[in-house]
Amino acid sequence: MNQPDAYIWEQHIPGGCHWSGIVRRGTTLRLTDVSGGANAAVLFFNQEEKLERYNMADTLKSQHTFRLTKGHACHSDMGRIFCCITEDTSGWNDTVCGMSDADLIRRKYGTGRYQELRNEMFRSGLDGMLIELAKWGLGMRDVVSNINFFSKVTASSSGELTFHPGNSKAGDYVDLSFEMDTLMVLSAAPHPLDPAEAYKPGAVNMAAFMTPSSAVTQCTRISENLRALQNTQRLYACHGGAI
């Protein structure tokens, strides 16, 4: 899948900024790294019951992986699936490093206040996430382990984590094909392990389009994904919706 026939909507997220919204099942959301080196920290919640949210541990152990890429699914803590990764040109998305906070940003980059820099202020990943969560009645206790799309982090045999600059190039994209009506929250601040000396987070474009019928086939090759997809379908069957 290279270029969808038609986008439903598009949104541009400048580097360091944040976004949240409802993505409907049957919709694919394409995240694009605009200029290379972007980081998109993302959380997922069930739009109808926000106590159901993305679960990092279940996602990784059920698919025997440390990273996420094409063919993997993003699991909830209720044994269901938010979305399947149906395309990924960057090839590696970090699952374990979390987000930067204000203290980390200040130590790495100095102070960049709105009063002097306006929209170029230094925002942390956590601050952006909390601003968006508050719009939906959520807060700090709802911040769980997130996905960092476009960022590659590997672990040595001793457990030391290494960030790989340049993993994502300009124009790289990740397609998320949603199986659940999902509240998605995104923060485009720098990855916490990014060694860049200057605060220059990359922009992220988002574009939504209808999911092709065969898009999630590769995800179902993993047995746990197939069972979780069936659980997700039952959720909507019980609600009287289309499967």
Side-chain angles (χ1 to χ4, degrees), residues 39-89:
N39 179 71
V42 168
L43 289 175
F44 301 119
F45 301 83
N46 183 334
Q47 184 266 331
E48 296 181 15
E49 176 47 82
K50 297 179 182 64
L51 287 175
E52 181 176 5
R53 66 278 311 272
Y54 168 73
N55 187 288
M56 179 265 280
D58 288 351
T59 296
L60 300 188
K61 70 183 181 182
S62 65
Q63 300 174 96
H64 304 285
T65 187
F66 175 75
R67 59 164 178 157
L68 293 178
T69 187
K70 181 178 179 179
H72 288 141
C74 301
H75 289 244
S76 83
D77 53 9
M78 295 293 289
R80 294 187 276 256
I81 282 179
F82 287 109
C83 60
C84 295
I85 302 175
T86 49
E87 291 290 342
D88 178 16
T89 63

mmCIF file of all heavy atoms in Angstrom, residues 39-89:
data_model
loop_
_atom_site.group_PDB
_atom_site.id
_atom_site.type_symbol
_atom_site.label_atom_id
_atom_site.label_comp_id
_atom_site.label_asym_id
_atom_site.label_seq_id
_atom_site.Cartn_x
_atom_site.Cartn_y
_atom_site.Cartn_z
ATOM 1 N N ASN A 39 9.640 12.022 16.334
ATOM 2 C CA ASN A 39 9.208 11.055 17.342
ATOM 3 C C ASN A 39 7.748 11.337 17.651
ATOM 4 O O ASN A 39 7.389 12.466 18.004
ATOM 5 C CB ASN A 39 10.039 11.172 18.616
ATOM 6 C CG ASN A 39 9.581 10.194 19.691
ATOM 7 O OD1 ASN A 39 9.788 8.991 19.560
ATOM 8 N ND2 ASN A 39 8.959 10.707 20.739
ATOM 9 N N ALA A 40 6.901 10.320 17.506
ATOM 10 C CA ALA A 40 5.482 10.469 17.802
ATOM 11 C C ALA A 40 5.121 9.566 18.965
ATOM 12 O O ALA A 40 4.954 8.357 18.804
ATOM 13 C CB ALA A 40 4.639 10.123 16.571
ATOM 14 N N ALA A 41 5.045 10.156 20.161
ATOM 15 C CA ALA A 41 4.640 9.406 21.351
ATOM 16 C C ALA A 41 3.122 9.288 21.339
ATOM 17 O O ALA A 41 2.418 10.291 21.231
ATOM 18 C CB ALA A 41 5.111 10.115 22.613
ATOM 19 N N VAL A 42 2.609 8.051 21.454
ATOM 20 C CA VAL A 42 1.175 7.808 21.263
ATOM 21 C C VAL A 42 0.622 6.936 22.379
ATOM 22 O O VAL A 42 1.276 5.982 22.837
ATOM 23 C CB VAL A 42 0.936 7.131 19.887
ATOM 24 C CG1 VAL A 42 -0.487 6.602 19.776
ATOM 25 C CG2 VAL A 42 1.223 8.119 18.759
ATOM 26 N N LEU A 43 -0.600 7.262 22.812
ATOM 27 C CA LEU A 43 -1.391 6.412 23.700
ATOM 28 C C LEU A 43 -2.751 6.159 23.068
ATOM 29 O O LEU A 43 -3.268 7.005 22.318
ATOM 30 C CB LEU A 43 -1.591 7.073 25.068
ATOM 31 C CG LEU A 43 -0.366 7.160 25.984
ATOM 32 C CD1 LEU A 43 -0.706 7.953 27.240
ATOM 33 C CD2 LEU A 43 0.142 5.777 26.352
ATOM 34 N N PHE A 44 -3.351 5.006 23.384
ATOM 35 C CA PHE A 44 -4.673 4.634 22.875
ATOM 36 C C PHE A 44 -5.614 4.332 24.037
ATOM 37 O O PHE A 44 -5.216 3.705 25.023
ATOM 38 C CB PHE A 44 -4.591 3.378 21.992
ATOM 39 C CG PHE A 44 -3.693 3.498 20.802
ATOM 40 C CD1 PHE A 44 -2.595 2.651 20.663
ATOM 41 C CD2 PHE A 44 -3.944 4.428 19.810
ATOM 42 C CE1 PHE A 44 -1.767 2.735 19.549
ATOM 43 C CE2 PHE A 44 -3.115 4.532 18.698
ATOM 44 C CZ PHE A 44 -2.037 3.678 18.564
ATOM 45 N N PHE A 45 -6.886 4.757 23.885
ATOM 46 C CA PHE A 45 -7.937 4.458 24.862
ATOM 47 C C PHE A 45 -9.203 4.066 24.114
ATOM 48 O O PHE A 45 -9.485 4.601 23.029
ATOM 49 C CB PHE A 45 -8.247 5.687 25.733
ATOM 50 C CG PHE A 45 -7.079 6.211 26.511
ATOM 51 C CD1 PHE A 45 -6.157 7.070 25.919
ATOM 52 C CD2 PHE A 45 -6.884 5.835 27.824
ATOM 53 C CE1 PHE A 45 -5.074 7.551 26.628
ATOM 54 C CE2 PHE A 45 -5.796 6.313 28.552
ATOM 55 C CZ PHE A 45 -4.889 7.174 27.947
ATOM 56 N N ASN A 46 -9.984 3.161 24.691
ATOM 57 C CA ASN A 46 -11.301 2.829 24.147
ATOM 58 C C ASN A 46 -12.177 4.074 24.238
ATOM 59 O O ASN A 46 -12.385 4.613 25.327
ATOM 60 C CB ASN A 46 -11.912 1.669 24.947
ATOM 61 C CG ASN A 46 -13.257 1.220 24.405
ATOM 62 O OD1 ASN A 46 -13.987 1.971 23.777
ATOM 63 N ND2 ASN A 46 -13.594 -0.031 24.669
ATOM 64 N N GLN A 47 -12.703 4.518 23.120
ATOM 65 C CA GLN A 47 -13.478 5.755 23.094
ATOM 66 C C GLN A 47 -14.713 5.678 23.992
ATOM 67 O O GLN A 47 -15.122 6.674 24.587
ATOM 68 C CB GLN A 47 -13.885 6.072 21.653
ATOM 69 C CG GLN A 47 -14.631 7.390 21.472
ATOM 70 C CD GLN A 47 -16.128 7.220 21.510
ATOM 71 O OE1 GLN A 47 -16.638 6.169 21.144
ATOM 72 N NE2 GLN A 47 -16.840 8.252 21.930
ATOM 73 N N GLU A 48 -15.294 4.477 24.129
ATOM 74 C CA GLU A 48 -16.516 4.330 24.926
ATOM 75 C C GLU A 48 -16.235 4.114 26.409
ATOM 76 O O GLU A 48 -17.050 4.485 27.258
ATOM 77 C CB GLU A 48 -17.352 3.167 24.388
ATOM 78 C CG GLU A 48 -17.869 3.386 22.976
ATOM 79 C CD GLU A 48 -18.720 2.221 22.500
ATOM 80 O OE1 GLU A 48 -19.137 1.401 23.343
ATOM 81 O OE2 GLU A 48 -18.971 2.141 21.299
ATOM 82 N N GLU A 49 -15.128 3.491 26.736
ATOM 83 C CA GLU A 49 -14.760 3.214 28.127
ATOM 84 C C GLU A 49 -13.264 3.412 28.271
ATOM 85 O O GLU A 49 -12.469 2.524 27.970
ATOM 86 C CB GLU A 49 -15.163 1.787 28.507
ATOM 87 C CG GLU A 49 -14.743 1.373 29.916
ATOM 88 C CD GLU A 49 -15.092 2.418 30.946
ATOM 89 O OE1 GLU A 49 -16.266 2.431 31.389
ATOM 90 O OE2 GLU A 49 -14.203 3.228 31.304
ATOM 91 N N LYS A 50 -12.893 4.613 28.722
ATOM 92 C CA LYS A 50 -11.486 5.004 28.685
ATOM 93 C C LYS A 50 -10.622 4.306 29.730
ATOM 94 O O LYS A 50 -9.404 4.505 29.747
ATOM 95 C CB LYS A 50 -11.379 6.529 28.779
ATOM 96 C CG LYS A 50 -12.039 7.229 27.589
ATOM 97 C CD LYS A 50 -11.954 8.728 27.684
ATOM 98 C CE LYS A 50 -12.659 9.374 26.512
ATOM 99 N NZ LYS A 50 -14.119 9.113 26.490
ATOM 100 N N LEU A 51 -11.239 3.512 30.617
ATOM 101 C CA LEU A 51 -10.426 2.690 31.498
ATOM 102 C C LEU A 51 -9.715 1.573 30.729
ATOM 103 O O LEU A 51 -8.727 1.008 31.202
ATOM 104 C CB LEU A 51 -11.281 2.089 32.604
ATOM 105 C CG LEU A 51 -11.748 3.066 33.691
ATOM 106 C CD1 LEU A 51 -12.678 2.369 34.667
ATOM 107 C CD2 LEU A 51 -10.563 3.682 34.418
ATOM 108 N N GLU A 52 -10.213 1.254 29.544
ATOM 109 C CA GLU A 52 -9.515 0.312 28.668
ATOM 110 C C GLU A 52 -8.509 1.096 27.852
ATOM 111 O O GLU A 52 -8.877 2.006 27.107
ATOM 112 C CB GLU A 52 -10.497 -0.417 27.753
ATOM 113 C CG GLU A 52 -9.810 -1.422 26.831
ATOM 114 C CD GLU A 52 -10.776 -2.233 25.976
ATOM 115 O OE1 GLU A 52 -11.997 -1.955 26.031
ATOM 116 O OE2 GLU A 52 -10.304 -3.129 25.249
ATOM 117 N N ARG A 53 -7.243 0.733 27.981
ATOM 118 C CA ARG A 53 -6.202 1.489 27.290
ATOM 119 C C ARG A 53 -5.091 0.571 26.793
ATOM 120 O O ARG A 53 -5.056 -0.613 27.126
ATOM 121 C CB ARG A 53 -5.619 2.590 28.172
ATOM 122 C CG ARG A 53 -4.825 2.199 29.420
ATOM 123 C CD ARG A 53 -5.642 1.872 30.622
ATOM 124 N NE ARG A 53 -6.655 2.879 30.923
ATOM 125 C CZ ARG A 53 -6.441 3.958 31.690
ATOM 126 N NH1 ARG A 53 -5.248 4.152 32.231
ATOM 127 N NH2 ARG A 53 -7.414 4.801 31.953
ATOM 128 N N TYR A 54 -4.192 1.141 26.004
ATOM 129 C CA TYR A 54 -3.063 0.390 25.452
ATOM 130 C C TYR A 54 -2.265 -0.256 26.575
ATOM 131 O O TYR A 54 -1.976 0.367 27.607
ATOM 132 C CB TYR A 54 -2.169 1.324 24.644
ATOM 133 C CG TYR A 54 -0.831 0.720 24.260
ATOM 134 C CD1 TYR A 54 -0.744 -0.258 23.266
ATOM 135 C CD2 TYR A 54 0.349 1.123 24.887
ATOM 136 C CE1 TYR A 54 0.476 -0.823 22.922
ATOM 137 C CE2 TYR A 54 1.573 0.567 24.546
ATOM 138 C CZ TYR A 54 1.637 -0.403 23.564
ATOM 139 O OH TYR A 54 2.839 -0.954 23.223
ATOM 140 N N ASN A 55 -1.885 -1.521 26.361
ATOM 141 C CA ASN A 55 -1.096 -2.267 27.333
ATOM 142 C C ASN A 55 0.200 -2.730 26.687
ATOM 143 O O ASN A 55 0.194 -3.606 25.824
ATOM 144 C CB ASN A 55 -1.894 -3.460 27.863
ATOM 145 C CG ASN A 55 -1.194 -4.170 28.999
ATOM 146 O OD1 ASN A 55 -0.203 -4.853 28.807
ATOM 147 N ND2 ASN A 55 -1.713 -3.985 30.208
ATOM 148 N N MET A 56 1.292 -2.124 27.107
ATOM 149 C CA MET A 56 2.588 -2.443 26.518
ATOM 150 C C MET A 56 2.995 -3.881 26.777
ATOM 151 O O MET A 56 3.431 -4.599 25.867
ATOM 152 C CB MET A 56 3.653 -1.483 27.051
ATOM 153 C CG MET A 56 5.057 -1.762 26.516
ATOM 154 S SD MET A 56 6.036 -2.819 27.623
ATOM 155 C CE MET A 56 6.569 -1.613 28.838
ATOM 156 N N ALA A 57 2.821 -4.346 28.004
ATOM 157 C CA ALA A 57 3.276 -5.697 28.352
ATOM 158 C C ALA A 57 2.544 -6.759 27.547
ATOM 159 O O ALA A 57 3.170 -7.682 26.996
ATOM 160 C CB ALA A 57 3.081 -5.932 29.846
ATOM 161 N N ASP A 58 1.216 -6.656 27.462
ATOM 162 C CA ASP A 58 0.449 -7.639 26.699
ATOM 163 C C ASP A 58 0.781 -7.574 25.216
ATOM 164 O O ASP A 58 0.841 -8.608 24.531
ATOM 165 C CB ASP A 58 -1.050 -7.424 26.899
ATOM 166 C CG ASP A 58 -1.510 -7.837 28.286
ATOM 167 O OD1 ASP A 58 -0.709 -8.438 29.025
ATOM 168 O OD2 ASP A 58 -2.676 -7.549 28.638
ATOM 169 N N THR A 59 0.994 -6.357 24.706
ATOM 170 C CA THR A 59 1.332 -6.187 23.291
ATOM 171 C C THR A 59 2.632 -6.901 22.945
ATOM 172 O O THR A 59 2.731 -7.600 21.928
ATOM 173 C CB THR A 59 1.433 -4.689 22.948
ATOM 174 O OG1 THR A 59 0.148 -4.078 23.112
ATOM 175 C CG2 THR A 59 1.912 -4.474 21.525
ATOM 176 N N LEU A 60 3.632 -6.758 23.800
ATOM 177 C CA LEU A 60 4.949 -7.323 23.491
ATOM 178 C C LEU A 60 5.003 -8.827 23.736
ATOM 179 O O LEU A 60 5.506 -9.584 22.902
ATOM 180 C CB LEU A 60 6.025 -6.612 24.316
ATOM 181 C CG LEU A 60 6.165 -5.103 24.098
ATOM 182 C CD1 LEU A 60 7.391 -4.574 24.832
ATOM 183 C CD2 LEU A 60 6.236 -4.750 22.618
ATOM 184 N N LYS A 61 4.482 -9.285 24.879
ATOM 185 C CA LYS A 61 4.623 -10.708 25.195
ATOM 186 C C LYS A 61 3.764 -11.571 24.270
ATOM 187 O O LYS A 61 4.157 -12.691 23.930
ATOM 188 C CB LYS A 61 4.278 -10.971 26.650
ATOM 189 C CG LYS A 61 2.820 -10.838 27.024
ATOM 190 C CD LYS A 61 2.602 -11.049 28.510
ATOM 191 C CE LYS A 61 1.145 -10.934 28.900
ATOM 192 N NZ LYS A 61 0.933 -11.087 30.359
ATOM 193 N N SER A 62 2.605 -11.078 23.846
ATOM 194 C CA SER A 62 1.738 -11.880 22.981
ATOM 195 C C SER A 62 2.309 -12.030 21.579
ATOM 196 O O SER A 62 1.952 -12.966 20.856
ATOM 197 C CB SER A 62 0.343 -11.263 22.910
ATOM 198 O OG SER A 62 0.377 -9.998 22.284
ATOM 199 N N GLN A 63 3.221 -11.119 21.203
ATOM 200 C CA GLN A 63 3.801 -11.165 19.853
ATOM 201 C C GLN A 63 5.296 -11.464 19.878
ATOM 202 O O GLN A 63 5.954 -11.417 18.838
ATOM 203 C CB GLN A 63 3.527 -9.833 19.133
ATOM 204 C CG GLN A 63 2.027 -9.559 19.000
ATOM 205 C CD GLN A 63 1.729 -8.192 18.419
ATOM 206 O OE1 GLN A 63 1.507 -8.029 17.211
ATOM 207 N NE2 GLN A 63 1.702 -7.188 19.286
ATOM 208 N N HIS A 64 5.825 -11.753 21.083
ATOM 209 C CA HIS A 64 7.239 -12.139 21.254
ATOM 210 C C HIS A 64 8.159 -11.125 20.577
ATOM 211 O O HIS A 64 9.024 -11.475 19.769
ATOM 212 C CB HIS A 64 7.474 -13.539 20.680
ATOM 213 C CG HIS A 64 6.580 -14.579 21.267
ATOM 214 N ND1 HIS A 64 6.752 -15.100 22.528
ATOM 215 C CD2 HIS A 64 5.465 -15.181 20.770
ATOM 216 C CE1 HIS A 64 5.818 -15.989 22.789
ATOM 217 N NE2 HIS A 64 5.011 -16.054 21.743
ATOM 218 N N THR A 65 7.988 -9.850 20.960
ATOM 219 C CA THR A 65 8.770 -8.800 20.320
ATOM 220 C C THR A 65 9.142 -7.726 21.319
ATOM 221 O O THR A 65 8.533 -7.609 22.395
ATOM 222 C CB THR A 65 7.975 -8.179 19.145
ATOM 223 O OG1 THR A 65 8.817 -7.269 18.428
ATOM 224 C CG2 THR A 65 6.739 -7.438 19.649
ATOM 225 N N PHE A 66 10.163 -6.945 20.980
ATOM 226 C CA PHE A 66 10.604 -5.796 21.773
ATOM 227 C C PHE A 66 10.245 -4.489 21.073
ATOM 228 O O PHE A 66 10.112 -3.450 21.704
ATOM 229 C CB PHE A 66 12.128 -5.891 21.968
ATOM 230 C CG PHE A 66 12.760 -4.718 22.671
ATOM 231 C CD1 PHE A 66 12.616 -4.551 24.040
ATOM 232 C CD2 PHE A 66 13.515 -3.803 21.967
ATOM 233 C CE1 PHE A 66 13.218 -3.471 24.688
ATOM 234 C CE2 PHE A 66 14.126 -2.727 22.603
ATOM 235 C CZ PHE A 66 13.974 -2.565 23.971
ATOM 236 N N ARG A 67 10.095 -4.567 19.760
ATOM 237 C CA ARG A 67 9.748 -3.407 18.934
ATOM 238 C C ARG A 67 8.411 -3.676 18.267
ATOM 239 O O ARG A 67 7.908 -4.797 18.269
ATOM 240 C CB ARG A 67 10.794 -3.173 17.853
ATOM 241 C CG ARG A 67 10.942 -4.386 16.947
ATOM 242 C CD ARG A 67 11.652 -4.107 15.663
ATOM 243 N NE ARG A 67 11.788 -5.334 14.884
ATOM 244 C CZ ARG A 67 11.957 -5.355 13.568
ATOM 245 N NH1 ARG A 67 12.021 -4.238 12.891
ATOM 246 N NH2 ARG A 67 12.079 -6.504 12.937
ATOM 247 N N LEU A 68 7.849 -2.645 17.665
ATOM 248 C CA LEU A 68 6.648 -2.801 16.851
ATOM 249 C C LEU A 68 6.934 -2.356 15.429
ATOM 250 O O LEU A 68 7.648 -1.371 15.197
ATOM 251 C CB LEU A 68 5.497 -1.980 17.429
ATOM 252 C CG LEU A 68 4.962 -2.429 18.791
ATOM 253 C CD1 LEU A 68 3.856 -1.497 19.264
ATOM 254 C CD2 LEU A 68 4.475 -3.877 18.750
ATOM 255 N N THR A 69 6.352 -3.095 14.470
ATOM 256 C CA THR A 69 6.498 -2.729 13.067
ATOM 257 C C THR A 69 5.359 -3.400 12.288
ATOM 258 O O THR A 69 4.408 -3.913 12.892
ATOM 259 C CB THR A 69 7.882 -3.135 12.525
ATOM 260 O OG1 THR A 69 8.047 -2.612 11.195
ATOM 261 C CG2 THR A 69 8.065 -4.642 12.508
ATOM 262 N N LYS A 70 5.439 -3.399 10.975
ATOM 263 C CA LYS A 70 4.385 -3.962 10.137
ATOM 264 C C LYS A 70 4.102 -5.419 10.524
ATOM 265 O O LYS A 70 5.010 -6.213 10.715
ATOM 266 C CB LYS A 70 4.802 -3.896 8.664
ATOM 267 C CG LYS A 70 3.762 -4.450 7.695
ATOM 268 C CD LYS A 70 4.228 -4.313 6.257
ATOM 269 C CE LYS A 70 3.192 -4.896 5.298
ATOM 270 N NZ LYS A 70 3.621 -4.753 3.876
ATOM 271 N N GLY A 71 2.804 -5.737 10.646
ATOM 272 C CA GLY A 71 2.401 -7.082 11.034
ATOM 273 C C GLY A 71 2.113 -7.229 12.513
ATOM 274 O O GLY A 71 1.597 -8.265 12.941
ATOM 275 N N HIS A 72 2.437 -6.211 13.304
ATOM 276 C CA HIS A 72 2.147 -6.235 14.735
ATOM 277 C C HIS A 72 0.840 -5.493 15.015
ATOM 278 O O HIS A 72 0.397 -4.658 14.227
ATOM 279 C CB HIS A 72 3.269 -5.584 15.536
ATOM 280 C CG HIS A 72 4.515 -6.401 15.585
ATOM 281 N ND1 HIS A 72 5.787 -5.855 15.503
ATOM 282 C CD2 HIS A 72 4.698 -7.741 15.700
ATOM 283 C CE1 HIS A 72 6.687 -6.816 15.576
ATOM 284 N NE2 HIS A 72 6.055 -7.970 15.702
ATOM 285 N N ALA A 73 0.244 -5.791 16.172
ATOM 286 C CA ALA A 73 -0.981 -5.132 16.612
ATOM 287 C C ALA A 73 -0.738 -4.464 17.952
ATOM 288 O O ALA A 73 0.152 -4.860 18.720
ATOM 289 C CB ALA A 73 -2.121 -6.145 16.721
ATOM 290 N N CYS A 74 -1.553 -3.449 18.257
ATOM 291 C CA CYS A 74 -1.485 -2.727 19.526
ATOM 292 C C CYS A 74 -2.640 -3.192 20.402
ATOM 293 O O CYS A 74 -3.805 -2.906 20.108
ATOM 294 C CB CYS A 74 -1.559 -1.228 19.281
ATOM 295 S SG CYS A 74 -0.238 -0.599 18.214
ATOM 296 N N HIS A 75 -2.336 -3.924 21.471
ATOM 297 C CA HIS A 75 -3.330 -4.574 22.313
ATOM 298 C C HIS A 75 -3.788 -3.681 23.462
ATOM 299 O O HIS A 75 -3.003 -2.869 23.980
ATOM 300 C CB HIS A 75 -2.760 -5.868 22.895
ATOM 301 C CG HIS A 75 -2.581 -6.960 21.892
ATOM 302 N ND1 HIS A 75 -3.274 -8.147 21.955
ATOM 303 C CD2 HIS A 75 -1.789 -7.055 20.784
ATOM 304 C CE1 HIS A 75 -2.914 -8.931 20.945
ATOM 305 N NE2 HIS A 75 -2.002 -8.288 20.223
ATOM 306 N N SER A 76 -5.030 -3.878 23.871
ATOM 307 C CA SER A 76 -5.545 -3.212 25.063
ATOM 308 C C SER A 76 -5.363 -4.117 26.277
ATOM 309 O O SER A 76 -5.003 -5.295 26.150
ATOM 310 C CB SER A 76 -7.033 -2.875 24.889
ATOM 311 O OG SER A 76 -7.847 -4.008 25.201
ATOM 312 N N ASP A 77 -5.658 -3.573 27.468
ATOM 313 C CA ASP A 77 -5.556 -4.369 28.685
ATOM 314 C C ASP A 77 -6.796 -5.235 28.916
ATOM 315 O O ASP A 77 -6.921 -5.875 29.967
ATOM 316 C CB ASP A 77 -5.295 -3.473 29.898
ATOM 317 C CG ASP A 77 -6.304 -2.350 30.039
ATOM 318 O OD1 ASP A 77 -7.317 -2.347 29.308
ATOM 319 O OD2 ASP A 77 -6.085 -1.458 30.882
ATOM 320 N N MET A 78 -7.705 -5.273 27.922
ATOM 321 C CA MET A 78 -8.897 -6.118 27.988
ATOM 322 C C MET A 78 -8.865 -7.227 26.939
ATOM 323 O O MET A 78 -9.887 -7.825 26.622
ATOM 324 C CB MET A 78 -10.152 -5.270 27.808
ATOM 325 C CG MET A 78 -10.386 -4.269 28.924
ATOM 326 S SD MET A 78 -10.768 -5.061 30.507
ATOM 327 C CE MET A 78 -12.411 -5.684 30.171
ATOM 328 N N GLY A 79 -7.671 -7.496 26.393
ATOM 329 C CA GLY A 79 -7.529 -8.581 25.427
ATOM 330 C C GLY A 79 -8.093 -8.265 24.057
ATOM 331 O O GLY A 79 -8.445 -9.179 23.308
ATOM 332 N N ARG A 80 -8.184 -6.992 23.738
ATOM 333 C CA ARG A 80 -8.672 -6.573 22.417
ATOM 334 C C ARG A 80 -7.592 -5.784 21.695
ATOM 335 O O ARG A 80 -6.525 -5.521 22.247
ATOM 336 C CB ARG A 80 -9.966 -5.763 22.582
ATOM 337 C CG ARG A 80 -11.117 -6.589 23.114
ATOM 338 C CD ARG A 80 -12.432 -5.815 23.102
ATOM 339 N NE ARG A 80 -12.595 -4.985 24.272
ATOM 340 C CZ ARG A 80 -13.403 -5.288 25.304
ATOM 341 N NH1 ARG A 80 -14.087 -6.424 25.304
ATOM 342 N NH2 ARG A 80 -13.520 -4.468 26.330
ATOM 343 N N ILE A 81 -7.896 -5.398 20.460
ATOM 344 C CA ILE A 81 -6.911 -4.712 19.635
ATOM 345 C C ILE A 81 -7.424 -3.328 19.250
ATOM 346 O O ILE A 81 -8.556 -3.185 18.764
ATOM 347 C CB ILE A 81 -6.588 -5.534 18.374
ATOM 348 C CG1 ILE A 81 -5.636 -6.680 18.737
ATOM 349 C CG2 ILE A 81 -5.973 -4.677 17.270
ATOM 350 C CD1 ILE A 81 -5.252 -7.569 17.591
ATOM 351 N N PHE A 82 -6.595 -2.340 19.471
ATOM 352 C CA PHE A 82 -6.905 -0.997 18.995
ATOM 353 C C PHE A 82 -6.671 -0.884 17.493
ATOM 354 O O PHE A 82 -7.537 -0.435 16.749
ATOM 355 C CB PHE A 82 -6.043 0.042 19.728
ATOM 356 C CG PHE A 82 -6.446 0.274 21.146
ATOM 357 C CD1 PHE A 82 -5.649 -0.171 22.184
ATOM 358 C CD2 PHE A 82 -7.619 0.937 21.443
ATOM 359 C CE1 PHE A 82 -6.023 0.042 23.499
ATOM 360 C CE2 PHE A 82 -8.010 1.154 22.760
ATOM 361 C CZ PHE A 82 -7.206 0.710 23.788
ATOM 362 N N CYS A 83 -5.462 -1.274 17.070
ATOM 363 C CA CYS A 83 -5.117 -1.125 15.662
ATOM 364 C C CYS A 83 -4.016 -2.101 15.289
ATOM 365 O O CYS A 83 -3.288 -2.601 16.156
ATOM 366 C CB CYS A 83 -4.683 0.308 15.346
ATOM 367 S SG CYS A 83 -3.219 0.858 16.289
ATOM 368 N N CYS A 84 -3.921 -2.365 13.997
ATOM 369 C CA CYS A 84 -2.830 -3.159 13.428
ATOM 370 C C CYS A 84 -1.908 -2.239 12.647
ATOM 371 O O CYS A 84 -2.365 -1.305 11.986
ATOM 372 C CB CYS A 84 -3.384 -4.242 12.506
ATOM 373 S SG CYS A 84 -4.391 -5.482 13.333
ATOM 374 N N ILE A 85 -0.617 -2.510 12.733
ATOM 375 C CA ILE A 85 0.354 -1.759 11.933
ATOM 376 C C ILE A 85 0.429 -2.435 10.572
ATOM 377 O O ILE A 85 0.979 -3.522 10.436
ATOM 378 C CB ILE A 85 1.723 -1.710 12.613
ATOM 379 C CG1 ILE A 85 1.598 -1.087 14.009
ATOM 380 C CG2 ILE A 85 2.728 -0.930 11.757
ATOM 381 C CD1 ILE A 85 2.887 -1.102 14.809
ATOM 382 N N THR A 86 -0.153 -1.798 9.568
ATOM 383 C CA THR A 86 -0.294 -2.429 8.258
ATOM 384 C C THR A 86 0.750 -1.956 7.243
ATOM 385 O O THR A 86 0.891 -2.565 6.191
ATOM 386 C CB THR A 86 -1.710 -2.198 7.714
ATOM 387 O OG1 THR A 86 -2.057 -0.812 7.821
ATOM 388 C CG2 THR A 86 -2.726 -3.010 8.514
ATOM 389 N N GLU A 87 1.453 -0.881 7.544
ATOM 390 C CA GLU A 87 2.622 -0.458 6.758
ATOM 391 C C GLU A 87 3.579 0.237 7.709
ATOM 392 O O GLU A 87 3.156 0.877 8.686
ATOM 393 C CB GLU A 87 2.240 0.498 5.616
ATOM 394 C CG GLU A 87 1.443 -0.129 4.485
ATOM 395 C CD GLU A 87 2.257 -1.089 3.630
ATOM 396 O OE1 GLU A 87 3.515 -1.015 3.690
ATOM 397 O OE2 GLU A 87 1.654 -1.898 2.914
ATOM 398 N N ASP A 88 4.886 0.132 7.413
ATOM 399 C CA ASP A 88 5.890 0.793 8.249
ATOM 400 C C ASP A 88 7.190 0.883 7.468
ATOM 401 O O ASP A 88 7.919 -0.103 7.353
ATOM 402 C CB ASP A 88 6.098 0.027 9.557
ATOM 403 C CG ASP A 88 7.169 0.656 10.439
ATOM 404 O OD1 ASP A 88 7.528 1.825 10.192
ATOM 405 O OD2 ASP A 88 7.637 -0.020 11.369
ATOM 406 N N THR A 89 7.498 2.046 6.934
ATOM 407 C CA THR A 89 8.716 2.193 6.143
ATOM 408 C C THR A 89 9.935 2.506 7.005
ATOM 409 O O THR A 89 11.065 2.411 6.526
ATOM 410 C CB THR A 89 8.554 3.288 5.069
ATOM 411 O OG1 THR A 89 8.331 4.559 5.706
ATOM 412 C CG2 THR A 89 7.376 2.978 4.147
#
